[in-house]
Each structure stands twice: as C-alpha cells, then as structure tokens.
C-alpha cells in the first residue's frame, strides 16, 4: 500500500511521504510519486465505489485514494467533497464564439470551492501526523475550507488573510466555522511568507498548496471529470491561475492518467490569469525564463497573487501538456461572470476568468471553435455577493404593496 514517496522537483532526492516536510533539503518543491502497477486498474475500482453507501467511497477524492494518499479510513476527514456537476450552455457557447464548452463546477463542493479537495487530504495528513494546529495564508477560500475541515477534525485553525481584501462571503464563512483569523496589513504574498516561516519553525502545520498533499487531492478534479466522460479526454482544460496549485495538480493528474493508461491522449491545459495579477503569463511570454513577482491587483480576489509559490510545478504542467497561458482584463472577467450568472450556473469572479480566457483564445485561433473544451469553475456565486450587487445591472424596484402600483410595475417589466 505505501509505494508513495516524496520526490524533489529539482534533484534526485526522495523522502518518506509521512515525513513532516514541505520542501527538499535543496529547497526544491516536493511531489508525491505513486509506483504501484495496480494503479492501472484504479478506474474500475473507482466505478465500483460509486455504488457504495459510504462517504469515504463516494467522495470525489477518496474514490481514487490509492493514487491520492494511501491513508487508512480511520484517518480520513471527509465531508464528502467532489461529485460536482458538469454543465453545458448554448448561451455560453455563443458568448465565447465556441460550440463545445462544458463547465465543471467546483464551486458546488461542501464549502463552495475546489479547495475542499486539497483540504480533505491536507487535514487528514495533519491528523495522521498528530499536528494539533493547522494554518494557511488565504484570499478567503482556502481559509473557509480549512476552517470547516479543521472543525470536523477537532484541530485548531489559524488563518492569515490580507486585511480588507477578503470578500464578505468568505470572511463570514471562515470565522463562522470557528477559525482564528489574523488580518495582515499587507497582501496575500506577505501572508504566505509568514505561514511558511511559522511552518519552518514547527509552530503550525501548513496546508497551503505548497504542501504536496493538497496537490494530490486537487488532481481528482480532473480524474472525476474524466470518469464522468467515460475516460474520453477533452482537447482542452481551462483553469484560472493564482498561486498555481490547480495548474500544478491538473498537470500531474493528466500525466499520471496518461502514464497509467486511463486516457489515450493528453488534454492541453490553458491557465488564465487576471491582467493585474499575471506573473505566470509574463513568464510564459518569455519562454519561462524566470518568475518576476509583481504587486497584484484585480477584482477577482481569489487570484490576486503576485508571487505564486507553485511556479516550478506549474511550468512543468504547462510544458508537459503542450499548454498555454494567457491573461484577461477585469472588465472581461466581469462580463464573463455576468454571462455565467445569467446562464443559471453562477460563479465568483476568479472562476469567470476561464470563460473570458476561452473567448480570447478562440479569437486568437489558439483554440478552435469545434474543439472539446472543459472549463473549471473554481468558486460559488455566493462567495462574493458584493461583486454581484455592485455591478449595476440588477433589476429590483421597491414599490408600495398596493394592487394598482403592482399592476403598473408588472406592465413595465
Ligand atoms: C484558490 C482559487 C483560485 C486560484 O487557484 P490556484 O490553485 O491558487 O491557482 C481560483 N479561483 C478560486 C475561486 C479560488 O478559490
Ligand atoms: Zn532537492
């Protein structure tokens, strides 16, 4: 069962996957390697588990457990996450100038974002390692997810947030689940550095996506989508990029599914950044020569990140899937969000960067209009109510509760 091990991304060194460490001695990022010939047959097992009544089997993460974290059931903290739907919409096809879009809605996870998939893995590891205090830096969704899973596991959660830059929905959720918040006078990147230092000093268990187990959990977004398509790979998978944990996880999920014979071709990854938070796009434009951190600003607060810590993993993901990176303006993000909301699907601003990105890539003929494209919507519409209420196109008129006034109002709608 424990053929898993940590491997360094930069040197040949490997470590036991139960070691309490976030990086190699050389400073390189770690990834979990799974070497078990039985993994080739995992899709059949995952299919059988769908008929089980146990949350552990039906979870979109733990139905793939042998290729995520081979922990015993007693250690697993699950809500259960995943099992998210795939939508299609003629209106959104038309909006993007495309004909074959599907949208996998990770905002329909228990805490309203895909972060639950990585968090179930990371918090289960915290429990396995006996770490009583778990911490993260967050723009609001990681902290909401951590707060929920830590509460379920009986662990203490401490979250570091950029003061004044977290949406109402996420703030309420994080504190509501009982996490202790520290609002840093600085941005996400400052908060991230603080948590890294605390983790290095052994004060807390860090569950940001630097933690390789988060990445393992998030791979299952791709695997669950492929399972729901009978292991027919799409041509493209489109994802927003902030700290680049998802981009990294998606690349690894695709590489593994291909290596183990689950899929016959590799989909291409397209990572979309906000123009004001685009260090990955800038680096891509210079053939990944280097990462130049920037000070980030965008309405899409979930991707307001100027120094993505997963950069080396994400570069590997783009190169190995023949992927692309682009950026879109805040206006394009909000126009795409309006289209997604009006299609009855709904999402938070960062998620809408995917649709804006597809429209741009179709215009530039990078994606052709008849290719099979899956967009990943990362967060729920209610995560950021202000982004909806501020946009000025809402239609709600206050009137007297009188028959005549109501009749006149109805005529004018
Ligand atoms: C965290 C988050 C992102 C960014 O994901 P990364 O893995 O950091 O690139 C995008 N959208 C939403 C809604 C998020 O919560
Ligand atoms: Zn190393």
């Amino acid at each position: 069962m424990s053929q898993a091990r940590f491997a360094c991304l930069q040197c040949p060194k490997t470590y036991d996957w139960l070691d309490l460490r976030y990086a190699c001695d050389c400073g390189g990022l770690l990834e979990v390697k799974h070497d078990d010939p039985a993994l080739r047959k995992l899709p059949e097992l995952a299919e059988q588990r769908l008929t089980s009544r146990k949350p552990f089997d039906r979870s979109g993460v733990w139905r793939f457990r042998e290729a995520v974290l081979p922990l015993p059931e007693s250690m697993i903290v699950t809500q259960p996450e995943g099992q998210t739907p795939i939508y299609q919409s003629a209106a959104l096809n038309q909006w993007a100038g495309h004909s074959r879009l599907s949208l996998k809605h990770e905002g329909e996870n228990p805490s309203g974002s895909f972060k639950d998939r990585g968090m179930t893995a990371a918090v289960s590891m915290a429990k396995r390692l006996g770490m009583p205090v778990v911490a993260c830096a967050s723009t609001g969704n990681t902290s909401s997810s951590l707060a929920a899973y830590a509460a379920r596991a009986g662990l203490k959660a401490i979250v570091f947030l950029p003061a004044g830059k977290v949406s109402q929905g996420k703030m309420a959720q994080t504190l509501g689940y009982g996490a202790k918040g520290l609002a840093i006078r600085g941005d996400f990147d400052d908060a991230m550095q603080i948590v890294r230092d605390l983790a290095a000093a052994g004060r807390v268990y860090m569950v940001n996506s630097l933690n390789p187990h988060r990445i393992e959990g998030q791979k299952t977004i791709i695997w669950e989508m492929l399972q729901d398509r009978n292991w027919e790979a799409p041509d493209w998978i489109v994802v927003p990029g902030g700290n680049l944990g998802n981009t990294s996880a998606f690349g690894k999920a695709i590489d593994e599914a291909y290596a183990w014979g689950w899929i016959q071709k590799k989909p291409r990854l397209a990572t979309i950044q906000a123009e004001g938070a685009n260090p990955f796009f800038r680096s891509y434009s210079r053939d990944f020569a280097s990462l130049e951190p920037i000070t980030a600003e965008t309405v899409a607060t979930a991707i307001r990140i100027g120094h993505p810590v997963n950069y080396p993993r994400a570069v590997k993901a783009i190169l190995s899937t023949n992927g692309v990176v682009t950026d879109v303006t805040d206006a394009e993000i909000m126009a795409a969000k309006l289209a997604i909301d009006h299609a009855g699907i709904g999402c938070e601003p960062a998620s809408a960067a995917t649709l804006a990105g597809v429209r741009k890539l179709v215009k530039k003929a990078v994606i052709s209009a008849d290719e099979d494209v899956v967009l990943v919507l990362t967060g729920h519409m209610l995560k950021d109510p202000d982004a909806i209420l501020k946009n000025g196109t809402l239609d709600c008129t206050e009137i007297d509760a009188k028959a005549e006034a109501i009749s006149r109002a109805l005529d004018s709608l």
Side-chain angles (χ1 to χ4, degrees), residues 210-272:
L210 259 186
N211 184 322
H213 300 300
R214 276 275 309 274
I215 304 290
E216 292 308 290
Q218 285 167 213
K219 293 186 309 193
T220 62
I221 299 170
I222 300 304
W223 293 346
E224 183 181 83
M225 177 269 290
L226 290 168
Q227 181 180 21
D228 282 340
R229 295 168 49 107
N230 292 313
W231 303 96
E232 280 292 324
D235 297 308
W236 289 92
I237 296 170
V238 187
V239 62
N243 218 9
L244 303 174
N246 253 353
T247 299
S248 306
F250 289 12
K252 190 166 190 279
I254 292 167
D255 282 346
E256 289 175 343
Y258 186 73
W260 296 331
W262 301 357
I263 51 174
Q264 302 313 309
K265 71 161 192 197
K266 282 194 193 185
R268 298 177 69 184
L269 271 182
T271 297
I272 318 297

Side-chain angles (χ1 to χ4, degrees), residues 8 10-11 13 24 26 28:
C8 178
Q10 276 171 21
C11 82
K13 209 151 181 188
C24 180
C26 82

Side-chain angles (χ1 to χ4, degrees), residues 114-115 141 240-246 302-303 348 350 378-379:
F114 74 84
K115 300 294 197 312
N141 279 337
N243 218 9
L244 303 174
N246 253 353
I303 51 175
E348 68 166 282
T378 44

Side-chain angles (χ1 to χ4, degrees), residues 107-350:
E108 299 190 20
N109 267 292
S111 83
S113 84
F114 74 84
K115 300 294 197 312
D116 292 343
R117 295 203 188 237
M119 205 52 73
T120 182
V123 168
S124 298
M125 268 313 277
K127 202 171 141 184
R128 170 68 182 77
L129 295 170
M131 299 295 284
V133 184
V134 281
C136 69
S138 179
T139 60
N141 279 337
T142 301
S143 58
S144 297
S145 184
L146 172 59
Y149 280 84
R152 302 282 293 152
L155 305 177
K156 181 170 184 171
I158 304 178
V159 303
F160 293 82
L161 307 162
K165 293 294 181 180
V166 176
S167 75
Q168 288 271 329
K170 297 174 192 182
M171 199 63 166
Q173 209 183 358
T174 297
L175 302 177
Y177 285 131
K180 308 286 178 207
L182 290 172
I184 301 294
R185 295 188 190 102
D187 60 14
F188 170 85
D189 302 292
D190 297 324
M192 186 70 244
Q193 190 55 52
I194 290 168
V195 176
R196 290 179 81 160
D197 293 344
L198 287 174
R203 301 274 312 260
V204 301
Y205 186 64
M206 175 176 62
V207 299
N208 281 99
S209 51
L210 259 186
N211 184 322
H213 300 300
R214 276 275 309 274
I215 304 290
E216 292 308 290
Q218 285 167 213
K219 293 186 309 193
T220 62
I221 299 170
I222 300 304
W223 293 346
E224 183 181 83
M225 177 269 290
L226 290 168
Q227 181 180 21
D228 282 340
R229 295 168 49 107
N230 292 313
W231 303 96
E232 280 292 324
D235 297 308
W236 289 92
I237 296 170
V238 187
V239 62
N243 218 9
L244 303 174
N246 253 353
T247 299
S248 306
F250 289 12
K252 190 166 190 279
I254 292 167
D255 282 346
E256 289 175 343
Y258 186 73
W260 296 331
W262 301 357
I263 51 174
Q264 302 313 309
K265 71 161 192 197
K266 282 194 193 185
R268 298 177 69 184
L269 271 182
T271 297
I272 318 297
Q273 294 208 290
E275 200 178 70
N278 66 354
F280 191 48
F281 170 66
R282 291 182 195 208
S283 169
Y284 166 82
S285 306
R286 293 181 293 108
D287 291 324
F288 292 129
S290 64
L291 177 72
E292 310 284 343
I294 62 169
T295 300
E297 197 49 83
T298 167
V299 284
T301 52
I303 51 175
R304 186 175 172 273
I305 295 175
H307 189 180
V309 297
N310 290 293
Y311 174 76
R313 292 176 178 145
V315 171
K316 183 177 169 188
I318 294 296
L319 294 178
S320 109
T321 61
N322 189 23
V324 302
V325 184
T326 192
D327 66 353
V328 290
T329 64
D330 278 3
E332 289 169 325
I333 288 173
M334 292 314 283
K337 175 175 155 56
L338 198 64
I340 293 168
D341 290 354
H342 282 184
I345 295 170
C347 67
E348 68 166 282

Side-chain angles (χ1 to χ4, degrees), residues 54-73:
K54 285 164 70 175
F56 182 47
D57 285 332
R58 286 166 75 140
S59 156
V61 174
W62 299 108
R63 87 174 70 129
F64 301 105
R65 53 189 171 262
E66 288 81 357
V68 176
L69 282 186
L71 285 177
E73 184 173 353

